[in-house]
Amino acid sequence: MEVKENKVDIGGKSVYYISYERGNMRNFILLHDSTTTSNSWAGIDALRKIGQWGFNVYAPDFPGFGNSEANDSYNFGSSPSKGALFIKDFAESLFLSSINVVGPSVSAGVALKSLIDYPELINSSIIIGGLGVDHILNELNRIDKPVLILWGSRDNVVPVSHGLRYHDLIPSSTFVKINGAGHCVQIEKPDIFFNNIKKFITNL
């Protein structure tokens, strides 16, 4: 079984994604931040590693990034709601349900907003050094599904105190501080990142 490159039409525009499919009903969607693409996940072999736990794994390029065509309807940088809509439309185009969303940095707001807006579709969200969450602070208490908050102890982009605040606002969340890691825990400490994801998913 291999990681595959794919394209799908969403809203009249081409969206590029990579996937590792097991053919079951349990799914992961891996988002990227504003400075990377789906390749950031390929670089740490995330699709295969998570897929081998029994999941289908998808890592799309957001519209306007990487190999995906731009589409103002999904401009996640300006609105977590638009990013969440993209997740919904991407999932529906591939007939996905029972989804766990991973959102690093600025896509953390998108991952949490998808849980708020589409709870029937999203099982859990995992955020890493979350940016973009401040836009939806007053909505976080609506979340009642599992959320894992990962934060590097040396994050100099978003202080750890932000992660602790989000943890306080989301009763169903778990907070884990990764010692020695900066803003990109998944890149800097991949083994610890995967161990925390696996533990979180196993306990759902």
Side-chain angles (χ1 to χ4, degrees), residues 96-113:
L96 305 181
S97 59
S98 189
I99 298 164
N100 306 285
V101 180
V102 181
S105 192
V106 73
S107 64
V110 174
L112 292 175
K113 185 61 171 167

Side-chain angles (χ1 to χ4, degrees), residues 2 7 51 70 102 122 147 161 173 175:
E2 297 180 355
K7 287 191 175 181
V102 181
I122 311 299
V147 173
S161 59
S173 68
F175 179 86

Side-chain angles (χ1 to χ4, degrees), residues 10-86:
I10 301 177
K13 304 289 186 178
S14 176
V15 170
Y16 170 89
Y17 67 98
I18 53 178
S19 65
Y20 183 94
E21 297 178 275
R22 300 294 298 266
N24 56 33
M25 299 298 291
R26 303 196 303 164
N27 301 288
F28 261 85
I29 293 179
L30 309 180
L31 306 178
H32 61 81
D33 65 23
S34 59
T35 62
T36 61
T37 66
S38 57
N39 279 339
S40 61
W41 293 112
I44 58 171
D45 202 21
L47 285 87
R48 192 187 318 273
K49 287 178 179 175
I50 294 173
Q52 288 174 347
W53 305 337
F55 293 89
N56 307 308
V57 190
Y58 304 88
D61 284 351
F62 270 114
F65 291 81
N67 295 311
S68 291
E69 291 185 275
N71 187 333
D72 288 342
S73 298
Y74 304 125
N75 183 356
F76 82 110
S78 66
S79 165
S81 295
K82 289 185 176 182
L85 178 63
F86 170 70

